[in-house]
Amino acid sequence: KWTDTQDIAIELYEKFPEVDPQYVNFPDLHQWILALEDFDDDPQRSGEKILESVQTHWISEAS
């Protein structure tokens, strides 16, 4: 779900270890989250705050 921002960030880190998350734009981030195998939520329920939270957690995971 979109509210599981920490879990989403961990999955993104594991799936894209070579990507520097601070340079990922929100449209790409949105698509990558939707493509995660375990992700199951309405694509329309995300917003800039949620994507920003995912990106922040991902940056923490990567550092």
Side-chain angles (χ1 to χ4, degrees):
K1 303 282 180 202
W2 288 111
T3 55
D4 302 325
T5 57
Q6 177 84 31
D7 294 333
I8 293 169
I10 291 168
E11 286 195 46
L12 289 169
Y13 175 69
E14 290 172 356
K15 186 168 184 171
F16 304 105
E18 73 288 351
V19 172
D20 186 339
Q22 66 182 342
Y23 298 111
V24 176
N25 62 50
F26 284 169
D28 286 345
L29 182 58
H30 187 264
Q31 289 303 313
W32 291 358
I33 293 169
L34 294 177
L36 291 173
E37 188 175 322
D38 294 332
F39 185 79
D40 182 32
D41 203 348
D42 181 355
Q44 303 302 317
R45 294 191 61 202
S46 76
E48 190 171 320
K49 284 180 123 178
I50 290 173
L51 295 174
E52 188 176 296
S53 178
V54 170
Q55 189 175 39
T56 300
H57 286 300
W58 189 3
I59 291 168
S60 293
E61 284 295 317
S63 54

